[in-house]
Amino acid sequence: MKPLALGIIGHPIGHTLSPRMHLMAAKYNDINLSYSAYDVSPKSLARAIDGVRALSIDGLNVTVPYKVEVMGLLDEISATARAIGAVNTIVREGELLKGYNTDAAGFIKSVRKNGLTDPNGKSVFVYGAGGAARAVVTALASAGVRKITVTNRTEARSVELAVSAVQTASTTDVDIALYDSNKLFESVSSADIIVNTTSVGMGASGASLPGLEGLHAGQLVVDIVYAPLKTDLLKRAEEAGARPLDGLWMLIYQGAEAFRLWTGKPFPVDKVRNAMTAELEP
Ligand code: ATR
């Protein structure tokens, strides 16, 4: 049988852990597949998707900055991906390319399984209003959270995200908080779950999130950043007695769900977690 041809498109793409994860899962299931990382320049996205069709590539992951733009180049979009407004997984189904979003499911699974918290009925504070925030907010609303408060450096984007969340999440109370307010810690303090969806904390940027004086015991603090594994936010959470949850779990579960869509097979979650942890904590 022809090996399954898979890959990831993004720009830049150098740091991606996805090829390693999927090749490990292939080996675990004894499946013959290839998984390549393609750095696609912004002017070439449409031609890259034409190439996927011409070469009969079976599936792709899509990462920053193409999760929104790629939607206009596909034949079908799943209901979840449409609600979020972003696609991170493409599956070739016959002659058609269908877009899915597995980030949302990956996030909720990490909160339930590794954060040991059921989001239903909880109050959540979210940093950020970009593409990742959209997936997180949509996932939380479908998981039945009682209240979501969004803050973002650029306020207009938090307003935009809150408005679209209100339209899709009829039972969740959605609010915004001012990023530079000296009362931000009060909103942080009153939440059960705090989530960082911004790139603050990634690498050695030196920027820090406002309002962290509000962290305390009993809260779950999730960072979707996974490099470094233990971000400054998660260190602050630990110091305050809150439960920290790193972004590697979400990355692994979104990959597991994409792998299931492409192959129908299970993903060796713990094996992949151990290998990726070793890579991120040399
Ligand atoms: P993604 O798809 O990964 O969410 P994005 O749409 O570019 O990427 O969003 C990045 C998020 O990180 C935004 O919320 C951004 O805030 P702005 O909307 O103000 O740009 C946030 N972000 C990035 N760098 C930041 C920094 N130094 N301080 C605060 N927020 C930052």
Side-chain angles (χ1 to χ4, degrees), residues 64 67 127-134 151-155 157 179 197-200 202 205 207-210 224:
V64 178
K67 291 184 184 184
Y127 286 99
R134 294 189 82 86
T151 194
N152 192 51
R153 179 179 61 178
T154 309
E155 196 191 351
R157 290 184 91 190
Y179 195 78
T197 72
T198 77
S199 46
V200 172
M202 204 183 279
S205 71
S208 62
L209 295 168
I224 72 160

Side-chain angles (χ1 to χ4, degrees), residues 20-36:
R20 253 250 10 246
M21 286 200 316
H22 289 289
L23 291 173
M24 279 186 79
K27 195 167 171 202
Y28 175 82
N29 285 290
D30 205 12
I31 299 177
N32 191 5
L33 63 74
S34 65
Y35 189 106
S36 310

Side-chain angles (χ1 to χ4, degrees), residues 45-221:
L45 182 63
R47 279 183 292 137
I49 298 301
D50 280 345
V52 169
R53 296 178 192 278
L55 300 171
S56 298
I57 286 176
D58 298 294
L60 285 181
N61 281 131
V62 182
T63 188
V64 178
Y66 300 130
K67 291 184 184 184
V68 177
E69 196 183 342
V70 80
M71 293 176 78
L73 301 167
L74 305 177
D75 304 305
E76 280 179 34
I77 306 288
S78 76
T80 308
R82 204 168 327 115
I84 294 166
V87 157
N88 78 325
T89 303
I90 300 173
V91 182
R92 186 160 61 82
E93 297 178 4
E95 291 301 302
L96 301 182
L97 294 182
K98 182 160 178 183
Y100 293 85
N101 189 302
T102 69
D103 286 331
F107 172 75
I108 290 297
K109 192 157 186 187
S110 75
V111 168
R112 290 214 170 100
K113 278 193 80 133
N114 309 96
L116 307 179
T117 304
D118 181 356
N120 189 28
K122 299 286 193 309
S123 163
V124 187
F125 186 87
V126 176
Y127 286 99
R134 294 189 82 86
V136 163
V137 165
T138 308
L140 287 167
S142 349
V145 298
R146 175 171 51 82
K147 181 175 179 188
I148 300 176
T149 305
V150 177
T151 194
N152 192 51
R153 179 179 61 178
T154 309
E155 196 191 351
R157 290 184 91 190
S158 27
V159 174
E160 207 180 301
L161 174 55
V163 168
S164 88
V166 165
Q167 282 160 357
T168 49
S170 53
T171 56
T172 305
D173 181 11
V174 186
D175 201 2
I176 61 164
L178 292 183
Y179 195 78
D180 49 12
S181 155
N182 55 13
K183 289 194 180 287
L184 195 67
F185 76 94
E186 290 176 7
S187 307
V188 172
S189 178
S190 64
D192 304 305
I193 305 173
I194 291 94
V195 188
N196 174 42
T197 72
T198 77
S199 46
V200 172
M202 204 183 279
S205 71
S208 62
L209 295 168
L212 300 185
E213 317 83 87
L215 297 179
H216 59 79
Q219 293 174 313
L220 172 68
V221 179

